[in-house]
Amino acid sequence: MHISQMRVRLALLIAVMVVAATGHAHAADRFVSTAGSDTANDCQNSISPCATIGRALTQAASGDTVNVAGGRYEEPLRIVTPIALTFLGGWDGAFTGRNPRGNPGVVRAIGPEGRRDRAWFIRGGDISVTIDGFTLADGDGDNGDYCCGGGGLLVIVDGGPITLAVRDTTITGNQATDDLGNSGGGVALRALGAGGSLNAAFTDVTFSRNRSNNGGGLYVDGPDTTVSLTNAVFTRNRAAREGFLFTPGAAMNVALGATANLVNVTMVKNRGRVSVAHVTHATMNLTNTIVWQKRGMVPTDLFVEGATGVPSVANVDHSDVGMVTTSGGTFNDLGGNLSVDPRVRSDGTLRGGLAPVIDVGTCTGAPTTDFEGDARPSGAGCDMGADEFVP
Ligand SMILES: [Ca+2]
Ligand SMILES: [Ca+2]
């Protein structure tokens, strides 16, 4: 054989080996359906899916996508080792089409012996998780093996980065109320000082009917924790605890050095003894955001608290915020703000064309669709809140 032919063949052989090696490492699709079976199943065949998301978790490798057919899954889910996974709910039974809003995968966290637990728990570092098309319902952030609340979802960064993306998902009916330190009835995102960063993005997510002492829908803390909320709705969440008066953040509390970036978020009909949105030694940036509650159901809408230590700052731009209370914190009015009844229904939709938040938001940085998928802007400008009104 001629030497150049040998080189060509050697190069081809190496190319084949590289393809084989990377092919083996290729991300896999896993399939889960309530009609499936876990027995001796690696969940890789959509014709014979697994029955539980937990089984797919035991089979999955980093980079995999777990595809979940619509239906109820009564299992608490835990991710506590370094891995990158995408969970896509809302598939039909044949895995040929998705309707994540109309037919989500409903995760109810019923643990061993029927005990309620958190729906989803993520702890550690070097973890990347996408949760798309689910309902996280009826979880309990007081039970289970770990502290810190988060009935629907608890994320604790511990020694390395965690990236979380939650899309087209509803977090409802969860609670964390037993222990005073258990915060975030729906979701708690926490850094416990062990290093690492936590970046979480919630897009088209509704927090409803969750309850806690501190942050009824959402609680976020830690200086390396950043949460972005886009087209989110907080409705009918509660911050309450028997015998305690200071239960801040009926909808949410961002605390202890964390940063929360809210764009086109709506908070309505949340109840508590202190505030709807609370900033405790932290930063909250509000754009096109509605924070509104009738007086009596909660004393103030936005409470910026923190006289010493890490400063508390709320930067507020083209938003409709009812009552603002500062106690050592700073409220920065960046312009275009209102303080009027936004005329929003409890599901976050605007009540007809006369709502005062229509066309008076900023389109700079606003998402190009609303939480229903309508184009933004519609009409003369971008609306405040999660809903873009389309006549
Ligand atoms: Ca508009
Ligand atoms: Ca709309």
Side-chain angles (χ1 to χ4, degrees), residues 66-93:
V66 179
N67 300 281
V68 179
R72 283 162 71 105
Y73 299 86
E74 305 217 328
E75 45 175 334
L77 298 167
R78 297 210 177 310
I79 298 173
V80 293
T81 53
I83 199 163
L85 290 172
T86 296
F87 297 85
L88 296 181
W91 285 100
D92 60 27

Side-chain angles (χ1 to χ4, degrees), residues 3-324:
I3 191 82
S4 64
Q5 280 181 316
M6 280 182 67
R7 281 193 182 135
V8 167
R9 291 194 178 190
L10 189 62
L12 279 171
L13 182 64
I14 289 170
V16 167
M17 288 169 68
V18 166
V19 166
T22 53
H24 182 71
H26 263 177
D29 272 306
R30 314 275 171 176
F31 300 91
V32 179
S33 164
T34 53
S37 168
D38 285 349
T39 306
N41 197 344
D42 67 3
C43 320
Q44 289 209 59
N45 189 338
S46 65
I47 305 295
S48 55
C50 288
T52 64
I53 304 168
R55 172 69 184 179
L57 256 179
T58 67
Q59 301 297 302
S62 200
D64 285 3
T65 296
V66 179
N67 300 281
V68 179
R72 283 162 71 105
Y73 299 86
E74 305 217 328
E75 45 175 334
L77 298 167
R78 297 210 177 310
I79 298 173
V80 293
T81 53
I83 199 163
L85 290 172
T86 296
F87 297 85
L88 296 181
W91 285 100
D92 60 27
F95 295 97
T96 52
R98 281 187 77 217
N99 179 7
R101 297 179 202 196
N103 186 31
V106 180
V107 177
R108 294 181 72 238
I110 309 297
E113 299 157 10
R115 193 179 64 167
R116 286 175 69 192
D117 199 344
R118 295 179 181 86
W120 223 295
F121 176 71
I122 300 169
R123 178 171 189 159
D126 300 308
I127 295 172
S128 176
V129 174
T130 296
I131 298 170
D132 183 333
F134 287 86
T135 297
L136 311 184
D138 305 326
D140 189 338
D142 296 315
N143 293 330
D145 307 329
Y146 303 96
C147 77
C148 308
L153 167 65
L154 171 63
V155 182
I156 298 178
V157 62
D158 190 358
I162 294 181
T163 304
L164 172 72
V166 183
R167 294 193 295 260
D168 277 336
T169 286
T170 301
I171 295 154
T172 188
N174 305 284
Q175 66 160 1
T177 54
D178 286 0
D179 190 286
L180 254 192
N182 287 357
S183 305
V187 174
L189 307 174
R190 310 197 67 162
L192 298 183
S197 60
L198 172 51
N199 276 284
F202 293 76
T203 307
D204 301 330
V205 170
T206 293
F207 299 77
S208 67
R209 299 180 188 277
N210 304 288
R211 189 161 65 94
S212 181
N213 320 306
N214 184 351
L218 171 66
Y219 176 84
V220 185
D221 78 17
D224 297 312
T225 304
T226 302
V227 60
S228 298
L229 297 157
T230 306
N231 285 343
V233 175
F234 290 80
T235 182
R236 298 188 187 281
N237 301 285
R238 287 188 68 187
R241 178 177 165 83
E242 199 65 41
F244 284 81
L245 290 177
F246 199 77
T247 53
M252 66 176 287
N253 189 356
V254 52
L256 306 179
T259 300
N261 301 310
L262 284 64
V263 179
N264 287 96
V265 173
T266 298
M267 302 184 202
V268 286
K269 291 188 163 51
N270 302 283
R271 296 179 64 184
R273 297 202 181 94
V274 180
S275 54
V276 176
H278 209 93
V279 187
T280 313
H281 302 286
T283 300
M284 191 183 281
N285 300 307
L286 285 73
T287 302
N288 289 349
T289 288
I290 296 168
V291 187
W292 183 266
Q293 192 53 63
K294 284 198 179 80
R295 299 283 74 74
M297 291 175 79
V298 59
T300 192
D301 289 287
L302 175 62
F303 198 129
V304 193
E305 178 204 358
T308 58
V310 178
S312 268
V313 182
N315 298 304
V316 182
D317 181 16
H318 287 83
S319 292
D320 183 10
V321 181
M323 184 174 171
V324 177

Side-chain angles (χ1 to χ4, degrees), residues 349-350 370-375 383 386-390:
T349 57
L350 296 171
D370 77 353
F371 79 139
E372 300 170 306
D374 294 331
D383 306 351
D387 184 22
E388 180 75 18
F389 182 72
V390 178

